[in-house]
């Protein structure tokens, strides 16, 4: 039989391992079917329940009869949805809220799911140290600080409205609203916590501070000779391009680390004043 597989996330062919049937023929005509089925692809075991509403049926053409059938599978799933797998990159509070919101959505607790999605935004603001008198203000600051785009901020406001309606008006979100809200939430979690971590091991990403520069600097210095007096660009070579957004701040932090003795591989060298800026040199120890 065809059945929705919770692991394949699609309708697949299943083998019937066990079947139990109950027929009601008294006041109301209906049948109940209980199945234990196994996916022919991934071999995952699922429980399937069918309710055949015979009394609710009606005739079709050519003596055919339509019987309404309601199908449920357990464990419950969000159809055509694959949850985020790399949640080990995500802060614990956000991960817990995400998993609880998913569970509420699966069980049809739509109001709780809507509240959960709104709560995830609050938790992300907390993690990013975004303060404010209310969530509307905090979402605005996420965009103002460059953590998310203006367009993404507008999408988060839509989830805020959904959560507010669920909390204050006890209003059930629609399945479509929850589906889109979940996609927005997962996009934000992926962008803020997962893609950056995965890209760091594959691409040359932008260096944002001295702590991120330090291991790169240590590697580059190994190819230099003691006593060499070089600019930071000459020390780093092609890695220097990764500093373009934060160069001024990073170089100030580097100078502080050298003068405080926290960077023992370099000492401060000469400074050369040009027509546009002063160039700092560093001496390899």
């Amino acid at each position: 039989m065809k059945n929705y597989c919770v692991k394949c996330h699609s309708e697949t062919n299943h083998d019937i391992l066990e079947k139990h049937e109950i027929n009601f023929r008294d006041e109301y005509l209906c049948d109940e079917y209980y199945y234990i089925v196994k996916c022919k692809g991934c071999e995952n075991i699922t429980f399937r329940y069918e309710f055949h509403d015979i009394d609710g049926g009606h005739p079709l053409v050519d003596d055919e009869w339509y019987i309404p059938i309601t199908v449920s599978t357990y464990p419950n799933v969000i159809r055509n949805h694959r949850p985020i797998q790399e949640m080990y990159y995500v802060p614990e509070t956000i991960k817990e809220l995400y998993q609880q919101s998913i569970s509420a959505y699966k069980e049809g607790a739509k109001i709780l799911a809507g509240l959960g999605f709104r709560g995830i935004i609050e938790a992300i603001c907390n993690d990013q140290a975004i303060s404010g008198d209310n969530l509307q203000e905090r979402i605005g600051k996420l965009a103002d600080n460059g953590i998310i785009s203006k367009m993404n901020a507008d999408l988060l406001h839509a989830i805020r409205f959904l959560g507010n309606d669920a909390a204050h008006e006890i209003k059930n979100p629609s399945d479509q609203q929850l589906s889109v809200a979940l996609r927005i939430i997962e996009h934000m979690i992926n962008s803020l916590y997962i893609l950056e971590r995965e890209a760091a091991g594959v691409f040359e990403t932008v260096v944002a501070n001295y702590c991120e520069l330090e291991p790169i600097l240590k590697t580059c210095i190994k190819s230099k000779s003691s006593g060499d007096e070089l600019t930071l660009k000459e020390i780093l070579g092609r890695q220097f391009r990764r500093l373009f957004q934060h160069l001024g701040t990073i170089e100030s932090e580097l100078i502080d680390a050298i003068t405080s003795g926290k960077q023992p591989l370099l000492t401060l060298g000469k400074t050369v004043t040009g027509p546009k800026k002063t160039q700092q040199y560093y001496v390899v120890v």
Side-chain angles (χ1 to χ4, degrees), residues 190-209:
N190 271 302
S191 298
L192 292 180
Y193 300 106
I194 298 174
L195 293 179
E196 182 179 357
R197 295 286 295 275
E198 292 188 335
V202 179
F203 301 107
E204 290 184 354
T205 54
V206 173
V207 174
N209 53 59

Side-chain angles (χ1 to χ4, degrees), residues 57-67:
H58 57 80
L60 298 174
V61 295
D62 299 329
D63 296 326
E64 292 184 11
W65 196 267
Y66 170 74
I67 305 294

Side-chain angles (χ1 to χ4, degrees), residues 33-51:
Y33 297 89
Y34 300 84
Y35 299 92
I36 298 176
V37 295
K38 182 172 74 172
C39 176
K40 289 187 175 183
C42 70
E43 299 186 342
N44 183 64
I45 305 295
T46 303
F47 181 80
R48 176 186 174 99
Y49 167 77
E50 294 181 6
F51 177 76

